[in-house]
Amino acid sequence: QVQLVESGGGAVQAGGSLRLSCAASGSGLSFNAINTMGWYRQAPGKQRELVARISRTGRTDYADSVKGRFTISRDNAKTVTLQMNSLKPEDTAVYICNADRGIFPDAWGPGTQVTVSS
């Protein structure tokens, strides 16, 4: 079983920065199977969308809307950080940590609110 614990988030004015962290804990095959970790977000009335993800080998993918502003990094095999700079009001959403576990179902965190005011 895997649990994802998120930290960071909060409220900031446009142009500001926030840092999100996600740590995976657990044991067993499904825990050791964690490969890509990343962040999704969901704004009210909108579908969940990928923000950024990083593989165990360090390959990264970003949504076009955050390229050049957000940076995802992996501190170790089970911890991922999202540095968000130059935040915009349209970045306001619940940010949700995700862990891809191969043949096992993805693990999801509870989500953390990010609010950017203009």
Side-chain angles (χ1 to χ4, degrees):
Q1 192 168 356
V2 174
Q3 289 186 327
L4 301 180
V5 178
E6 300 149 339
S7 60
V12 67
Q13 290 189 328
S17 298
L18 286 172
R19 186 180 180 92
L20 304 181
S21 292
C22 174
S25 63
S27 62
L29 289 174
S30 64
F31 177 70
N32 293 325
I34 290 177
N35 183 4
T36 298
M37 293 185 70
W39 291 91
Y40 287 71
R41 67 186 180 187
Q42 188 163 18
K46 294 187 177 181
Q47 289 189 332
R48 185 175 296 187
E49 63 174 357
L50 173 68
V51 176
R53 60 188 173 192
I54 183 168
S55 73
R56 293 187 75 165
T57 59
R59 190 185 79 175
T60 58
D61 292 308
Y62 293 93
D64 288 343
S65 59
V66 307
K67 283 180 181 177
R69 301 188 297 122
F70 291 12
T71 302
I72 191 167
S73 60
R74 198 136 178 186
D75 303 326
N76 54 55
K78 302 298 190 290
T79 303
V80 64
T81 298
L82 183 68
Q83 178 66 42
M84 305 186 293
N85 298 327
S86 302
L87 282 161
K88 304 176 181 180
E90 51 264 43
D91 293 318
T92 295
V94 175
Y95 284 69
I96 308 158
C97 183
N98 168 269
D100 166 39
R101 301 187 293 163
I103 62 172
F104 299 97
D106 282 13
W108 295 91
T112 184
Q113 178 70 43
V114 170
T115 302
V116 184
S117 59
S118 57

